[in-house]
Amino acid sequence: MQATKFQVKLYARAGAIELEKLVPVFHEWIRNKKISDELLIDVADYAHVPQGPGVVLIGHQSDYYLDVADDRPGLLYSRKRGFDGDFQAGIDDAFQRALEACELLEAESSLDLEFATDEVLFRVQDRLNAPNGDATYAEYKPALEQASAAFFGAAPSLERLGTEREPFAVRIHTGASGSVADALAKH
Amino acid sequence: MTSWKEQLGDRIPEQLAGEVDLFEGQIELKKQGKLDDKIFAETRLRRGVYGQRYDNGLRDDGTGQKTLAFPCGDLTKGPDTVWDAPGMMRIKIPFGKLTAEQLDVLSELAEENSDSILHVTTRQDIQLHFIHIEEAPDMMRRLASVGITTREACGNSVRNVTACEYAGVCTTQAFDVTPYANAITQFLLGHPDVQDFGRKFKIAFSGCEDNPCGLVTFHDLGAVAHVRDGKRGFRVVVGGGLGAVPVQAKVLAEFCPEEELLPLAQAVSRVFARLGEKQSRARARIKFLVQKVGIDEFKKLVAEEREGLRPDERWTAFLDDLHATDEKPVRDPGAIPGDAPAGFRAWAEHNLKPQAQEGYYSAIVKLPLGDFTATQGRALADLARKYTGDSIRCTVEQNLTFRWLSGADAVAFYDGLIALQMAAAGAGTITDMTSCPGTDTCKLGISASRGLTGELRKRLTLVEDELDPAVRALRMKASGCFNSCGQHHAADIGFTGVSRQVGGRKVPHFNIVLGGQWTENAKSYGLVVGAVPSKNIPKAVDLITEHYLANREGDESFQAFIARVGKREFRKVLAPIQKPPPYEEDPSYYSDWGNPREYTIGDIGIGECAGEIVPFVEFGLQQAEQQLHDAQDALEAGQSEAAALGAFTAMVTAAKALVRHLEVQVKDDADDVVANFKTHLHDTTLFHDPFAKGKFAAYLLKVHAEQSYENANDEIAHRMLDEAQLFLEAAHACYERLTQAAAAAAE
Ligand code: HEM
Ligand code: SF4
């Protein structure tokens, strides 16, 4: 079976971030249906956990984290439910949604956040269908290169991360230096 | 591979595999509309798949209640529980014991099926939140492959058996209770005699009388290790519990020899299954049965039951090898290096405990709000593999303890924690608060116990080093409502969520409970001193601790101080901060900690405390009990007017619950409640007692008409409290009659 639990993380340019400020922002997104094609449910606040998931906007289809894993704050998009569409479309969609969420966050005046586009973390939370190993990497590499090129241009370079105990993860050096808006415009 | 079932194959024990398959089948049947809602709810609860806040598909977004339009449409997983709504999985960890491998798998599930957070509960379980029901069977298979079952983690069943996290390594224990806790867990899991309980049943073990770790006194069944004339046994207590009206367990046997422990537990179970309350869930815990028949009669019943039991070899088989559960250290013992760095020493002061075994220590990893991440979980599993072996225990204070750490490795272990940012010092001190899930995820939550705990923790950690040692040593615990899952009665300073109406708006509050005893297995519970707006709780903590430091005599303990000065004095201390400013002046009081939405209690749902769903009416009846309890406190404190008003309020609350149960719309206003009560319950004779007829209903009608709570003196207050007590009894009885009638009509 094809995995669909894709995660895409884009890193914030600022090194530190006041996580508490995300809580009212995410509540407002729920109230005003800021992501119009997602059912947004609630906000989970894990600001107290070091290097943790930060503040999470819980949805039905996907979750959106302002995640501080590795002490590197960023927007982590996480798809939870299945995706109707082919493999490449699923990956592109995850990139697209992550970038759109970044754009929304950049527009929040209370936050003063900006995201970098030179690096993307891609993960699959599905050890059954996408174990962290060479075979999975071989399967995903072309699709990730294609998605990266489509959004960020240039020729990306990829690096597989972690061991088989960890979820399948790839760091993509996109070669881009533009803004989130540029990436969305390009696609 | 196409499925976890195939992939794991016979790594899943056969029986568990069958159970999970069955559950998966039931999920399918439910989707096809072939299974009743209530039956399915009970099925999933018995497998640890619990509800979560907003799973009725409604949520207040701060501007009013909105529908969450889940794609599943009308499909439900229980009455009023939407199929697609995220739920919680409670994973039963007997006596909190985890292996490195189990921690790995739990971490995988946290990432793949939850939000990458693992949460340690106050009863040594692990919970994962925001789970979709259809992912539960595979999660169970993966857990089963490492020897974990979620079976009977919720529901009207024997819940997780808890025990001190130092069992086996403790310096004060009579002996290691682990093999006994393990034996009782195995023996009672799925046992036919525990399937027909009216309510959940919680068992705890303690290795000694004096230390708190086992907390046996508020359990349904508790066992404290003793050696008498060279023979092992237990002092067994029964009928303790927290909740709205906390009860200390009573002694069932001063000394129960080890070979009699399992049969005794079985006999108690049979008595509970046979005689325990089944209709009114609010009174179904065994504590009510013990109260009703009295402990002497209860002992007699248990003894008779024991006589009639058919012998079972499992009662004693485990005694042949009491070392089966022993942990094997992976490193040689050693001393802590004399030149250990200062940071290590500060951490070790509270987080490292010498074991009975020379050269070994237990290290406590202090978790913020009981949470850790999947990545941290894997790294901790690696630390365990390297230094301590499979000796991890979840603790009732929502931490993780790693036992069998050689003193020679202690600094390296600490360095490992630093790298994970998990080396917070001060385990078991004021910065190490315990909290239930509260309004974050619990359907019954009234106030944000986690939000409050996070806030207090943050503030106190900043000043930790400047705190007076007597204050630093205090324990604080918070529960989001009177159900007391945060065990706040057993804390020096405890908090319970309540809501108060101020100027036409709801304001989140916490009732402050002072002087509960944590030592001696939670020997006494604290005193309720009054409700304070949530946003003033940090101030309240300052005022309370300052008052204590300024007025204690010599090195008087906090508990002794509270007992000496009484709660009246603390009421005075807190009085200046008990009233929130008007909304127009400071709206921040009108939302809760960590939650910017305007505060509402409209999101409170029907709790799935256990087994069958808790109907709202029972929630109301419990609330009334608490109000009555508070009124009794007020009378004791000489506040007769407040007591009388409290008695009246309790009657109104109970009346409202019943009126609502009849599906009559009723306002939050005494006049409206009483009018409706009169029309729908009194005039219809539904509330009539078979013998006393309208007598009890008349109490409420009369007090309401005469407003006799105004300027009530001591005598009037006393009488009103007695009347309210009878009224509440009558309300419970009325509810029972209504449910019986409904059941009869349905047949
Ligand atoms: C959906 C709602 C609820 C949630 C999420 C919840 C959660 C919890 C948690 C996490 C614990 C620690 C226990 C464990 O690990 O097994 C706990 C314990 C407890 N729960 Fe709940 N609970 C809920 C409803 C209730 C209700 C309705 C009651 C009572 C009517 C209740 C009474 C208690 C008590 C008294 C304890 C702890 C003390 C003890 O062990 O006796 N809970 N609950
Ligand atoms: S104390 Fe209340 S709010 Fe907290 S978990 Fe228990 S039922 Fe929920």
Side-chain angles (χ1 to χ4, degrees):
Chain A
M1 221 170 69
Q2 181 54 56
T4 54
K5 290 191 171 182
F6 298 153
Q7 294 187 325
V8 172
K9 180 171 177 179
L10 283 106
Y11 295 92
R13 285 198 202 274
I17 196 161
E18 284 177 77
L19 282 173
E20 295 74 39
K21 290 190 173 172
L22 266 300
V23 177
V25 168
F26 282 159
H27 276 290
E28 194 262 336
W29 287 19
I30 298 175
R31 199 160 53 239
N32 294 326
K33 299 194 168 32
K34 276 287 185 64
I35 305 176
S36 58
D37 61 348
E38 295 252 27
L39 170 60
L40 302 177
I41 303 172
D42 199 18
V43 182
D45 179 356
Y46 299 114
H48 52 277
V49 182
Q51 302 185 338
V55 179
V56 192
L57 173 58
I58 305 277
H60 170 71
Q61 185 75 21
S62 339
D63 294 336
Y64 294 81
Y65 298 58
L66 202 305
D67 155 284
V68 290
D70 305 319
D71 280 331
R72 292 190 63 196
L75 179 283
L76 174 72
Y77 167 76
S78 177
R79 173 178 284 279
K80 299 192 289 189
R81 307 268 94 76
F83 180 81
D84 297 330
D86 69 14
F87 178 52
Q88 185 69 48
I91 289 184
D92 290 351
D93 181 74
F95 274 67
Q96 173 90 19
R97 286 177 186 276
L99 283 159
E100 282 172 354
C102 289
E103 193 175 42
L104 279 177
L105 285 171
E106 288 182 345
E108 293 288 344
S109 55
S110 63
L111 297 179
D112 192 21
L113 263 178
E114 208 188 312
F115 292 89
T117 56
D118 58 339
E119 180 184 346
V120 173
L121 175 69
F122 177 83
R123 270 196 308 234
V124 187
Q125 291 293 1
D126 184 344
R127 285 168 177 78
L128 180 71
N129 297 300
N132 196 347
D134 292 339
T136 308
Y137 188 47
E139 183 191 346
Y140 277 74
K141 193 164 180 268
L144 290 173
E145 283 168 343
Q146 189 177 324
S148 179
F151 286 95
F152 305 105
S157 75
L158 274 58
E159 166 198 5
R160 179 160 78 85
L161 305 175
T163 66
E164 63 178 12
R165 283 169 74 204
E166 286 150 307
F168 173 66
V170 178
R171 191 175 304 291
I172 305 168
H173 299 280
T174 65
S177 58
S179 67
V180 165
D182 293 342
L184 283 167
K186 184 162 170 40
H187 188 64
Chain B
M1 276 297 161
T2 55
S3 70
W4 280 111
K5 191 173 161 174
E6 251 177 78
Q7 171 120 332
L8 295 170
D10 54 14
R11 277 197 278 160
I12 310 176
E14 203 177 308
Q15 197 198 339
L16 292 180
E19 282 173 17
V20 181
D21 288 349
L22 189 71
F23 181 49
E24 200 166 43
Q26 284 163 321
I27 287 184
E28 259 331 293
L29 286 178
K30 184 74 185 84
K31 282 169 82 174
Q32 296 163 9
K34 293 185 185 150
L35 212 60
D36 170 75
D37 254 346
K38 273 201 167 176
I39 306 254
F40 183 73
E42 175 68 17
T43 309
R44 79 177 150 74
L45 284 163
R46 288 202 174 212
R47 284 168 178 76
V49 184
Y50 225 98
Q52 224 181 272
R53 206 166 176 92
Y54 318 121
D55 66 8
N56 56 354
L58 296 171
R59 176 181 180 274
D60 195 308
D61 65 4
T63 62
Q65 202 161 52
K66 305 289 155 60
T67 301
L68 298 170
F70 289 101
C72 60
D74 292 339
L75 184 61
T76 51
K77 50 185 172 181
D80 281 327
T81 317
V82 180
W83 187 259
D84 274 336
M88 173 266 270
M89 184 180 272
R90 181 174 291 160
I91 302 166
K92 212 173 177 180
I93 310 293
F95 35 96
K97 179 176 162 48
L98 281 178
T99 65
E101 187 189 31
Q102 290 172 334
L103 193 50
D104 274 341
V105 170
L106 287 163
S107 301
E108 290 179 8
L109 299 183
E111 276 172 338
E112 293 186 27
N113 307 95
S114 176
D115 53 8
S116 82
I117 286 287
L118 298 104
H119 176 74
V120 176
T121 76
T122 52
R123 293 198 73 258
Q124 300 182 304
D125 286 319
I126 297 266
Q127 280 181 193
L128 302 176
H129 293 94
F130 303 106
I131 307 284
H132 195 283
I133 176 128
E134 288 173 36
E135 297 187 359
D138 274 343
M139 295 172 73
M140 292 170 180
R141 292 189 175 104
R142 293 167 78 177
L143 290 168
S145 74
V146 289
I148 298 178
T149 172
T150 59
R151 179 154 180 209
E152 293 169 10
C154 305
N156 297 328
S157 50
V158 178
R159 299 294 185 83
N160 196 30
V161 175
T162 58
C164 349
E165 69 264 30
Y166 301 114
V169 299
C170 178
T171 50
T172 59
Q173 70 182 9
F175 53 83
D176 181 4
V177 297
T178 311
Y180 302 89
N182 187 48
I184 217 166
T185 299
Q186 306 299 338
F187 177 61
L188 293 181
L189 184 72
H191 195 291
D193 288 344
V194 305
Q195 302 306 311
D196 194 24
F197 287 173
R199 204 65 175 70
K200 61 185 169 184
F201 193 77
K202 296 181 178 177
I203 302 178
F205 280 82
S206 179
C208 72
E209 290 285 349
D210 298 341
N211 284 318
C213 328
L215 301 174
V216 300
T217 60
F218 57 72
H219 280 79
D220 297 285
L221 191 68
V224 183
H226 278 277
V227 175
R228 197 184 265 184
D229 302 329
K231 188 161 174 42
R232 286 178 166 202
F234 295 87
R235 192 168 73 90
V236 177
V237 294
V238 67
L242 296 177
V245 185
V247 177
Q248 290 277 344
K250 313 265 178 313
V251 179
L252 177 64
E254 274 301 341
F255 187 80
C256 166
E258 55 181 352
E259 66 277 7
E260 271 301 307
L261 182 69
L262 268 50
L264 182 67
Q266 189 183 352
V268 169
S269 302
R270 289 178 64 93
V271 171
F272 180 45
R274 187 156 51 85
L275 300 176
E277 174 65 53
K278 296 281 166 55
Q279 294 298 327
S280 166
R281 294 174 37 78
R283 316 206 124 196
R285 289 288 287 271
I286 199 170
K287 64 184 175 187
F288 294 103
L289 176 62
V290 175
Q291 273 169 354
K292 193 167 120 194
V293 302
I295 184 68
D296 293 330
E297 176 63 19
F298 186 81
K299 277 187 197 169
K300 226 162 71 196
L301 289 165
V302 171
E304 283 165 14
E305 198 69 46
R306 168 67 189 93
E307 280 298 294
L309 287 183
R310 241 191 297 155
D312 186 328
E313 59 183 31
R314 291 175 297 170
W315 288 346
T316 49
F318 72 101
L319 295 172
D320 294 344
D321 185 8
L322 285 172
H323 293 289
T325 53
D326 283 0
E327 290 155 2
K328 321 248 175 321
V330 292
R331 310 275 288 183
D332 291 333
I336 294 176
D339 59 352
F344 167 82
R345 272 182 275 130
W347 173 79
E349 183 186 351
H350 294 285
N351 298 46
L352 204 58
K353 285 186 63 151
Q355 292 187 181
Q357 298 81 4
E358 174 116 29
Y360 287 108
Y361 294 80
S362 295
I364 307 167
V365 177
K366 182 180 163 196
L367 302 173
L369 276 63
D371 292 343
F372 61 104
T373 70
T375 308
Q376 288 172 332
R378 266 192 296 277
L380 288 173
D382 285 341
L383 283 178
R385 287 189 177 96
K386 187 159 176 194
Y387 296 114
T388 67
D390 289 330
S391 68
I392 311 162
R393 303 256 169 138
C394 304
T395 81
V396 297
E397 292 194 272
Q398 301 181 298
N399 290 326
L400 292 173
T401 294
F402 289 70
R403 304 131 51 98
W404 296 103
L405 176 64
S406 165
D409 294 327
V411 175
F413 184 84
Y414 166 76
D415 287 341
L417 293 180
I418 291 215
L420 300 172
Q421 297 188 27
M422 297 187 93
T429 69
I430 195 163
T431 54
D432 191 12
M433 270 185 81
T434 309
S435 171
C436 80
T439 46
D440 280 15
T441 51
C442 176
K443 290 161 86 167
L444 301 180
I446 295 175
S447 306
S449 41
R450 273 170 62 89
L452 173 70
T453 300
E455 185 65 27
L456 288 172
R457 200 186 138 267
K458 199 162 66 185
R459 291 178 187 229
L460 290 164
T461 304
L462 290 176
V463 297
E464 186 165 26
D465 296 334
E466 294 134 49
L467 292 175
D468 185 285
V471 168
R472 196 170 177 213
L474 296 179
R475 275 185 161 81
M476 299 203 293
K477 294 173 188 284
S479 300
C481 81
F482 55 77
N483 285 317
S484 317
C485 307
Q487 306 177 337
H488 64 273
H489 300 288
D492 296 297
I493 307 180
F495 307 100
T496 352
V498 288
S499 116
R500 293 281 186 267
Q501 189 84 8
V502 179
R505 291 171 193 272
K506 293 254 185 290
V507 181
H509 279 61
F510 281 93
N511 246 329
I512 298 188
V513 183
L514 291 182
Q517 192 175 359
W518 160 254
T519 49
E520 296 185 53
N521 279 303
K523 194 171 170 204
S524 66
Y525 301 142
L527 301 174
V528 183
V529 296
V532 169
S534 289
K535 291 292 168 85
N536 274 343
I537 293 290
K539 257 185 237 162
V541 172
D542 289 345
L543 289 175
I544 291 164
T545 51
E546 282 161 17
H547 190 73
Y548 162 55
L549 289 180
N551 298 289
R552 68 179 159 169
E553 288 173 356
D555 54 5
E556 188 176 29
S557 76
F558 187 72
Q559 271 133 18
F561 178 72
I562 302 286
R564 179 167 63 81
V565 306
K567 53 187 171 181
R568 220 180 297 175
E569 186 160 326
F570 275 99
R571 289 212 163 112
K572 269 188 251 150
V573 171
L574 295 174
I577 56 165
Q578 284 188 290
K579 207 166 151 314
Y583 181 82
E584 294 67 27
E585 213 170 280
D586 189 350
S588 72
Y589 279 82
Y590 297 76
S591 62
D592 213 335
W593 288 112
N595 189 342
R597 285 175 290 165
E598 194 117 304
Y599 179 70
T600 167
I601 53 167
D603 284 328
I604 294 176
I606 294 166
E608 296 181 333
C609 178
E612 259 194 46
I613 317 286
V614 185
F616 195 90
V617 52
E618 294 184 8
F619 191 80
L621 291 177
Q622 282 227 12
Q623 194 187 356
E625 298 251 7
Q626 193 196 6
Q627 288 165 341
L628 186 63
H629 191 63
D630 288 349
Q632 276 151 352
D633 279 355
L635 187 66
E636 254 171 57
Q639 303 164 345
S640 41
E641 208 176 334
L645 183 61
F648 174 63
T649 312
M651 288 195 275
V652 171
T653 303
K656 188 174 91 185
L658 288 174
V659 171
R660 281 187 56 161
H661 182 64
L662 298 177
E663 290 173 11
V664 174
Q665 300 259 348
V666 62
K667 282 192 249 153
D668 222 358
D669 154 299
D671 294 340
D672 195 50
V673 172
V674 175
N676 275 297
F677 173 79
K678 184 165 181 314
T679 314
H680 299 285
L681 284 144
H682 176 266
D683 297 353
T684 54
T685 74
L686 280 178
F687 196 78
H688 275 38
D689 181 86
F691 306 104
K693 303 290 176 215
K695 178 174 168 185
F696 303 127
Y699 291 150
L700 171 64
L701 302 180
K702 186 153 173 280
V703 176
H704 177 251
E706 295 173 359
Q707 305 201 337
S708 42
Y709 44 84
E710 279 182 14
N711 303 316
N713 61 21
D714 199 57
E715 195 189 324
I716 295 177
H718 238 293
R719 197 195 64 227
M720 280 181 58
L721 279 171
D722 288 345
E723 290 178 356
Q725 183 77 55
L726 292 166
F727 184 88
L728 257 54
E729 299 283 343
H732 280 289
C734 170
Y735 170 53
E736 263 170 54
R737 289 194 303 273
L738 291 173
T739 25
Q740 274 161 6
E747 268 169 21

